[in-house]
Amino acid sequence: MNDRAPSAPMPPGWPARIRAVAAGELTPAAPKPSATVVLLRDTHDGPEAYLLRRRSSMAFAAGMYAYPGGGVDPRDADAELGWAGPTPAEWAARLGVDAPTAQAVVCAAVRETFEEAGILLAGPDAHSTAEPRDWAPERAALEAHELSFAAFLRSHGLVLRSDLLGGWARWVTPEFEERRYDTWFFVAALPAGQSAALEVGEADRVAWLTPADAVAGHDAGRYGMLPPTVTVLRELLPVRSAAEALAAAGHRTVEPVLGRAETAGDRMTVRWDGYDELTIHGEFPA
């Protein structure tokens, strides 16, 4: 009797691409540096995470629930960037990269959270955050790449608050995927007085969900999520507040997690080391 847990379904495009990479017929794309933020707010039932359902027209992860985030902009490494909190060098040691890359990744995390969710992890000094206001024109200019985040901060006398972020994880898209990302995951608490956007250009729905409700919904097939998204939520299940999540982040090791494929005839297995619950396996004839 086989008591092995049932496998998650294999996305339809994976088998052919897995075979092509294994045969040397397909060169893996270079992963694009990216950052995403699990924004948390406290409730009587514990912390809730802000999730966006990506529009079905999106080229990557269409219809999936995700956190605010996106690719690093080269200007995120701008030397003129106003900064408070742990330095880029300190973040470099935390994230396992050099200081310019660390600055760009942290800046991308704050910028994308502002662009997509309207939450600004920045303030006039190292001890406060910006007063709530309508930032729609600035967010649109940032999203259109008409404005750098450094220039935005300078024009409003603000500094990026890197201390409001906690480094949580780093996931790299498998080599056989068409679009690949090297993504750092951060956690952050919703700043007092700020409200997250209810409408987001790249999403057709936003939701605040406790990790338990989000994971249960994913397991029941109601919420589609990529492996890193649901894994982070599972890791947040024991956390009782946003502050506790930030404290827990300080004890985590941020190392790359990469899904790898194995083939044996028609049988394929995709596994992520240390995350057996994500394993996908089955027979996939050519």
Side-chain angles (χ1 to χ4, degrees):
M1 179 177 178
N2 184 3
D3 58 0
R4 186 175 185 177
S7 167
M10 179 82 76
W14 279 16
R17 295 185 64 84
I18 288 171
R19 287 191 181 89
V21 170
E25 299 167 355
L26 180 65
T27 302
K32 180 179 181 179
S34 305
T36 190
V37 176
V38 187
L39 191 63
L40 299 168
R41 71 176 184 185
D42 289 323
T43 74
H44 293 302
D45 297 323
E48 292 179 332
Y50 181 74
L51 290 156
L52 315 170
R53 187 172 69 182
R54 293 169 61 83
R55 294 187 183 277
S56 58
S57 58
M58 299 297 292
F60 181 79
M64 297 288 184
Y65 281 81
Y67 313 112
V72 169
D73 184 323
R75 296 175 298 176
D76 290 333
D78 192 331
E80 301 297 321
L81 179 68
W83 192 280
T87 65
E90 291 174 303
W91 275 107
R94 180 83 180 95
L95 302 180
V97 294
D98 58 32
T101 301
Q103 175 186 311
V105 168
V106 171
C107 180
V110 174
R111 175 180 53 74
E112 287 285 344
T113 301
F114 181 52
E115 285 182 23
E116 295 195 345
I119 298 302
L120 184 54
L121 303 176
D125 54 50
H127 308 289
S128 59
T129 52
E131 291 293 327
R133 53 166 283 187
D134 180 10
W135 295 105
E138 291 84 357
R139 290 170 59 200
L142 286 165
E143 189 172 3
H145 301 284
E146 298 168 352
L147 178 68
S148 73
F149 198 61
F152 161 71
L153 292 177
R154 284 196 300 272
S155 66
H156 294 281
L158 301 173
V159 293
L160 181 153
R161 291 279 309 277
S162 81
D163 58 306
L164 298 181
L165 291 173
W168 192 267
R170 178 183 179 185
W171 287 70
V172 183
T173 312
E175 292 184 340
F176 50 81
E177 279 275 39
E178 182 177 0
R179 290 175 173 82
R180 302 188 63 214
Y181 300 91
D182 184 352
T183 305
W184 282 264
F185 287 72
F186 298 88
V187 293
L190 179 69
Q194 295 193 35
S195 299
L198 298 178
E199 294 184 3
V200 178
E202 294 184 354
D204 60 13
R205 182 184 177 190
V206 301
W208 285 100
L209 297 170
T210 65
D213 286 344
V215 170
H218 171 269
D219 292 346
R222 295 194 304 274
Y223 305 135
M225 297 180 194
L226 294 177
T229 307
V230 68
T231 297
V232 170
L233 288 166
R234 287 180 179 136
E235 292 168 341
L236 287 168
L237 286 173
V239 171
R240 294 167 294 182
S241 68
E244 190 173 307
L246 282 163
H251 299 287
R252 292 181 58 84
T253 300
V254 182
E255 294 182 344
V257 178
L258 174 66
R260 301 184 185 277
E262 304 166 2
T263 60
D266 288 338
R267 185 162 190 82
M268 291 186 180
T269 302
V270 180
R271 65 178 84 250
W272 289 259
D273 290 343
Y275 299 91
D276 291 345
E277 71 278 5
L278 299 177
T279 300
I280 300 173
H281 55 86
E283 301 285 335
F284 301 94

